[in-house]
């Protein structure tokens, strides 16, 4: 039986609709869970209002940026509009706008469910760890299903209506650019509040983490949602779209040469199967009455991985796809799991690195920082080796199929690694939900037993967040390697149309390539520094505000009844600072890409992308793992080890966690989006760089 590309696109849309229906059922399930504590309801509403206010203001700023970007795209891409191909430019601009809208919706969906699930999870903890875990996990799963369903739907609709892979790159750029700024803005907000609350509350005053006397405590809980839910949702939406876009660009090029639709069909088929596997994995996720939440989350990931491998093997046999490409996808999937396991080892509070950092904290904060940085750097090796082995294995596995298939193998390895992204997002969104639940339990005075349960769930959330971030960074690594292949394809298509020489690779001994390599390698470091300086400046303003309130509000420090801090002042500081700081860092990376392209052309851009990918992956993995390590070392001490709460070791660990916060939640996870953005800018502007560069 012969299948058309329309069949696979429509099937993908059908699976997307199924994921939306499942997300709606999960949403209703979470919403129906009992909650009756008036104090928790009050605080939960404050968190919800703060998150929605920030998201509204952030999206207004980003809408203005997207409007200007869409106009520039219409004028110049894929070729200047005065060349007469204005319909192509209009399609590109509309695709870009659709990408930003889909990415924004991912953030909104995440906020809406997370600010309900946090309340339900806190109150469910009164009945035990199992119902509390299920409320948190299924709350996160709403976002997982909606985001990945949106990814597949968006890509399918763009291909259905335009049949244009360059327009798909425009859609991906829209998703990436909004994700870059949303992740940066949300990360600055959340770490401003987190650092300020910890430094004044825990270190200076010795009060509990979520003590309602602390003026920054609501802003801290709001930040969990706008940074770790909305920001990460947009980030993983972007990674998934980018992996599919890169694969489809290369697949379409191969199909044009062969005169078929096999490779394009395969991309849609595997992506749809991945989403279906995630639906099954989420639906079957369970935890025993006295189970381990970390084990339950990881087991669900392994089940989803096995389902994807089996179903794609069946699809490969049924539709007579190339088995070597299936092998490349499975290599990516398995390496993703290995990267997750490596991240787990360096961040789990039951493992040696966390214990060693906790022990070092007894000697002072300098040793906390030194040991954490050291383990953070060591942790990059397994992941970097995994990405390298995955790329090499996929390349060599698919190389015998024919010219161009080696790079397609790498792109399908990225698709394979991100195939279970529905489960990954579910696990990731679980983290901030249970973190909020822990704060709500403390502010609602639910008792020590409930706090013990929410602490266990929160610790699992931190560990799994480190795993999912490692997974996302690893997938971004393979995706941008595939995007490098897409860049070469776009350049060669333009070169063939212009009758000039195309690209076969990049010689690092070529001074133009090396020029781009050095600048590209420096960009992630500058980008990270700008984001963390934004957190630093903003946190200093908030610390001053907290001091003012404790100084001027009579009875606040003592916790007198009826005396409440001005929570909204801290939310305003975090919001204003985040909006002020979010655009410059992202804009610098885009502008530098354009400058390098117009100076050195496509050869310089090739070097720029290689340098950017390598240094970006290294920094992202280091910061994500070091931050998670410091966070769980602090929690390990707080659970009664190495002196426990209030000890010198605890104060040192809080300092380490304060340094690690912008590492793991602001700069680290934003870097992989930055890499994707510059890769897409390079592909979209490849024709201009080919024809208008200063050095040729």
């Amino acid at each position: 039986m012969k299948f058309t590309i329309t069949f696979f696109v429509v099937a993908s849309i059908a699976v997307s609709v199924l994921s939306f229906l499942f997300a709606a059922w999960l949403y209703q399930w979470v919403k129906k869970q009992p909650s009756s504590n008036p104090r928790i309801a009050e605080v939960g509403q404050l968190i919800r209002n703060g998150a929605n206010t920030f998201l509204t203001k952030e999206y207004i700023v980003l809408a203005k940026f997207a409007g200007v970007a869409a106009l520039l795209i219409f004028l110049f891409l894929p070729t200047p509009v005065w060349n007469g191909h204005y319909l192509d430019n209009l399609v590109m601009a509309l695709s870009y706008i659709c990408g930003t809208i889909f990415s924004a919706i991912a953030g909104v969906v995440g906020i809406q469910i997370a600010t309900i699930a946090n309340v339900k999870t806190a109150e469910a903890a009164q009945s035990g760890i199992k119902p509390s875990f299920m409320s948190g996990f299924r709350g996160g799963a709403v976002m997982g299903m909606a985001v990945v369903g949106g990814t597949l739907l968006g890509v399918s609709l763009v291909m259905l209506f335009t049949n244009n892979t360059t327009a798909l790159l425009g859609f991906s750029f829209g998703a990436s650019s909004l994700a870059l700024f949303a992740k940066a803005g949300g990360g600055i907000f959340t770490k401003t509040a987190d650092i300020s609350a910890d430094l004044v509350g825990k270190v200076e005053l010795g009060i509990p983490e979520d003590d309602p006397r602390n003026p920054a405590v609501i802003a801290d809980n709001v930040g969990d949602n706008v940074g770790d839910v909305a920001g990460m949702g947009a980030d993983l939406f972007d990674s998934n779209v980018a992996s599919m876009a890169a694969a489809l660009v290369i697949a379409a090029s191969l199909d044009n040469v062969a005169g078929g639709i096999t490779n394009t069909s395969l991309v849609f088929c595997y992506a749809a199967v991945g989403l279906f596997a995630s639906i099954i994995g989420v639906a079957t996720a369970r935890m025993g009455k006295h189970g381990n939440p970390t084990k339950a989350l990881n087991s669900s990931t392994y089940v989803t991985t096995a389902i994807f491998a089996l179903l794609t093997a069946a699809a490969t046999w049924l539709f007579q796809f190339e088995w070597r490409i299936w092998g490349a996808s499975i290599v990516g999937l398995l390496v993703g799991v290995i990267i997750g396991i490596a991240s787990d080892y360096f961040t789990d509070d039951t493992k040696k690195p966390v214990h060693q950092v906790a022990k070092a904290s007894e000697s002072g904060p300098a040793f906390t920082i030194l040991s954490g940085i050291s383990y953070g750097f060591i942790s990059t090796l397994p992941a970097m080796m995994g990405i390298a082995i995955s790329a090499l294995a996929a390349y060599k596995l698919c190389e015998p199929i024919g010219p161009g298939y080696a790079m397609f193998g790498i792109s399908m390895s990225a698709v394979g690694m991100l195939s279970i992204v529905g489960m990954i997002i579910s696990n990731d969104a679980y983290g901030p939900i249970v973190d909020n639940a822990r704060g709500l339990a403390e502010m609602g005075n639910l008792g020590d037993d409930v706090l013990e349960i929410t602490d266990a769930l929160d610790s699992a959330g931190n560990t799994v967040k480190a795993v999912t971030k490692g997974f996302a960074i690893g997938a971004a690594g393979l995706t941008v390697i595939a995007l490098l292949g897409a860049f070469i394809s776009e350049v060669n298509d333009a070169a063939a149309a212009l009758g000039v020489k195309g690209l076969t690779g990049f010689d690092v001994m070529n001074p133009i390539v090396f020029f781009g390599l050095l600048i590209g390698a420096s960009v992630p470091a500058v980008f990270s520094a700008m984001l963390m300086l934004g957190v630093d400046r903003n946190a200093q303003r908030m610390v001053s505000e907290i001091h003012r309130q404790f100084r001027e509000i009579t009875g606040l420090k003592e916790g007198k009844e009826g005396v409440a801090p001005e929570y909204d002042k801290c939310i305003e500081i975090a919001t204003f600072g985040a909006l002020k700081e979010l655009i410059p860092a992202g804009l610098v990376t885009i502008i530098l890409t354009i400058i390098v392209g117009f100076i050195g052309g496509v050869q310089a851009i090739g070097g720029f992308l290689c340098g950017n990918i390598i240094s970006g992956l290294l920094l992202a993995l280091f910061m994500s793992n070091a931050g998670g390590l410091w966070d769980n070392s602090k929690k390990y001490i707080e659970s009664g080890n190495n002196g426990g709460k209030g000890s010198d070791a605890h104060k040192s660990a809080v300092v380490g966690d304060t340094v690690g916060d912008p590492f793991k939640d602001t700069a680290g996870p934003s870097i992989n989006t930055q890499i994707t953005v510059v890769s897409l800018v390079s592909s979209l502007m490849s024709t201009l760089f080919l024809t208008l560069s200063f050095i040729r």
Side-chain angles (χ1 to χ4, degrees):
M1 184 177 177
K2 191 173 178 65
F3 294 93
T4 64
I5 186 64
T6 305
F7 168 82
F8 289 98
V9 172
V10 171
S12 297
I13 292 172
V15 175
S16 301
V17 172
L18 179 63
S19 75
F20 294 141
L21 293 173
F22 185 46
W25 180 84
L26 290 169
Y27 179 88
Q28 291 300 322
W29 185 91
V30 172
K31 203 172 179 181
K32 286 177 182 175
Q33 299 310 296
S35 57
S36 56
N37 187 300
R39 174 60 179 160
I40 287 182
E42 178 191 351
V43 176
Q45 191 59 46
L46 285 172
I47 294 170
R48 187 181 183 86
N49 291 344
N52 285 328
T53 298
F54 172 76
L55 210 61
T56 300
K57 290 182 178 179
E58 182 182 51
Y59 282 176
I60 288 170
V61 172
L62 294 181
K64 294 174 183 176
F65 170 83
V68 173
L71 178 61
L72 292 173
I73 288 169
F74 174 72
L75 292 174
F76 297 107
L77 298 177
T79 58
V81 72
W82 49 85
N83 285 356
H85 304 291
Y86 64 91
L87 277 177
D88 290 343
N89 291 50
L90 182 61
V91 167
M92 182 70 76
L94 290 175
S95 297
Y96 170 82
I97 291 170
C98 288
T100 63
I101 291 170
F102 271 73
S103 188
I105 290 171
V108 172
V109 168
I111 289 290
Q112 296 313 308
I113 182 59
T115 51
I116 294 173
N118 57 4
V119 172
K120 306 296 185 181
T121 302
E123 296 211 36
Q126 296 175 100
S127 303
I129 195 167
K130 180 180 177 181
S132 188
F133 170 82
M134 291 305 294
S135 293
F137 175 74
R138 286 189 166 176
V142 173
M143 186 175 173
M145 295 299 98
V147 168
V148 186
T151 300
L152 194 54
L153 180 65
V155 170
S156 299
L157 290 176
V158 170
M159 283 298 288
L160 191 64
F161 288 121
T162 69
N163 195 28
N164 183 340
T165 52
T166 304
L168 195 57
L169 289 175
F171 179 82
S172 183
F173 179 51
S176 298
S177 60
L178 190 123
L180 178 67
F181 296 121
K183 188 62 195 160
I188 291 169
F189 184 109
T190 184
K191 292 307 111 181
T192 293
D194 198 356
I195 288 172
S196 304
D198 278 359
L199 285 179
V200 180
K202 287 184 179 179
V203 178
E204 291 184 21
L205 301 178
I207 61 177
E209 181 170 354
D210 293 296
D211 195 301
R213 290 174 289 174
N214 194 327
V217 73
I218 299 297
D220 186 11
N221 283 288
V222 169
D224 290 334
N225 291 286
V226 299
D228 292 340
V229 177
M232 186 54 80
D235 180 13
L236 286 168
F237 175 84
D238 144 57
S239 295
N240 205 22
V241 170
S243 71
M244 283 192 70
L248 285 168
V249 167
I250 299 170
S253 177
L254 292 171
D255 285 343
N256 285 339
V257 172
I261 57 153
T262 303
N263 297 304
T264 308
S265 301
L266 183 146
V267 177
F268 279 108
C269 179
Y270 280 21
V273 167
L275 178 53
F276 186 69
S278 292
I279 293 172
I280 297 172
V282 168
T284 56
R286 293 289 185 276
M287 190 180 83
K289 190 175 181 181
H290 303 290
N292 183 318
T294 304
K295 185 178 179 182
L297 292 167
N298 288 337
S299 297
S300 300
T301 303
Y302 301 146
V303 167
T304 306
T305 300
I307 293 169
F308 174 80
L310 291 172
L311 290 180
T312 48
T316 302
W317 171 78
L318 178 64
F319 300 117
Q320 298 182 329
F321 293 141
E322 175 57 59
W323 280 101
R324 286 178 177 271
I325 297 173
W326 176 82
S329 301
I330 299 305
V331 165
L333 180 61
L334 294 177
V335 168
V337 173
I338 291 167
I339 290 172
I341 291 169
S343 296
D344 177 75
Y345 174 76
F346 284 98
T347 57
D348 193 331
D349 61 7
T350 63
K351 303 294 194 301
K352 186 178 177 181
V354 168
H355 297 175
Q356 293 287 2
V357 174
K359 178 68 177 172
S361 298
E362 295 177 8
S363 303
F367 296 97
T368 307
I369 304 300
L370 281 171
S371 57
I373 285 175
S374 300
Y375 280 115
F377 275 128
I378 293 169
S379 74
T380 65
L381 181 62
M384 292 293 276
M385 283 182 64
I387 295 168
I389 291 168
S390 181
L392 182 61
Y395 189 97
K396 286 298 182 183
L397 197 59
C398 296
E399 191 177 29
I401 303 173
Y405 277 92
M407 192 58 77
F408 183 53
I410 293 176
S411 71
M412 288 308 299
S413 188
V415 170
M417 193 179 282
L418 278 165
S419 60
I420 60 167
V421 74
M423 178 59 75
I424 297 302
I425 295 175
S426 301
N427 287 355
D428 198 81
Y430 158 90
I433 288 171
V434 296
D435 192 357
N436 264 205
R438 196 257 176 231
L440 288 167
E442 186 164 307
M443 285 183 271
N445 296 315
L446 296 186
D448 290 341
D449 289 344
V450 170
L451 283 177
E452 191 176 326
I453 287 172
T454 53
D455 275 337
L457 294 174
D458 188 22
S459 178
N462 274 323
T463 301
V464 172
K465 269 203 300 183
V467 173
T468 57
K469 281 172 186 169
F471 203 99
I473 293 165
L478 284 176
T479 298
V480 292
I481 294 170
L483 282 171
L484 189 59
F487 168 70
I488 294 172
S489 292
E490 291 290 303
V491 170
N492 288 341
D493 287 347
L498 295 167
V500 297
K501 186 180 178 183
L503 288 174
T504 54
F506 308 106
D507 180 3
V508 294
M509 297 307 292
N510 181 336
I512 298 175
V513 175
F514 201 68
F515 157 78
L517 187 74
L518 290 176
I519 296 176
S522 69
V523 168
V526 174
F527 174 75
S528 301
M530 291 179 73
L531 291 182
M532 289 192 286
L533 283 170
V535 172
D536 178 43
R537 285 188 290 267
N538 221 22
Q540 288 186 46
R541 286 192 286 267
M542 190 176 289
V543 166
S544 297
E545 172 60 23
I546 297 169
H547 285 155
R548 181 197 69 78
Q549 292 195 33
F550 277 123
R551 187 175 60 249
E552 296 180 4
I553 300 176
T554 306
L556 178 60
K557 192 180 292 187
E558 296 76 19
K560 286 185 179 178
E561 193 171 342
V563 177
E566 297 172 352
Y567 296 124
D568 58 320
K569 299 281 188 187
C570 288
I571 293 173
E572 283 174 17
I573 288 171
T575 300
F576 174 78
L579 296 179
K580 181 182 176 184
E581 305 282 358
L582 68 86
I583 295 291
L587 213 51
V588 163
T589 63
I590 294 171
I591 290 169
L592 278 172
T593 308
I594 294 169
I595 289 172
V596 168
F598 282 130
I599 290 175
V602 293
Q603 291 284 350
I605 283 292
F608 181 90
L609 292 178
C610 291
N612 194 260
I613 290 166
I614 293 167
S615 76
L617 289 175
L618 182 71
L619 279 173
L621 287 163
F622 159 68
M623 288 195 281
S624 177
N625 290 339
L629 174 61
W630 278 316
D631 195 347
N632 274 349
S633 296
K634 177 198 70 176
K635 285 184 168 57
Y636 180 71
I637 292 172
E638 287 175 346
S639 65
N641 301 291
N642 301 96
K645 285 185 181 180
S647 65
D648 288 341
H650 181 227
K651 290 177 181 177
S652 298
V654 170
V655 173
D657 182 38
T658 302
V659 174
D661 274 339
F663 271 38
K664 70 181 173 64
D665 291 325
T666 305
S670 297
I671 290 175
N672 56 319
T673 314
Q674 175 265 309
I675 301 170
T676 305
V677 166
V678 299
S679 299
L680 289 165
V681 168
S682 301
S683 291
L684 290 169
M685 299 189 68
S686 56
T687 303
L688 296 177
F689 293 154
L690 185 67
T691 56
L692 299 176
S693 63
F694 180 71
I695 300 172
R696 298 187 196 180

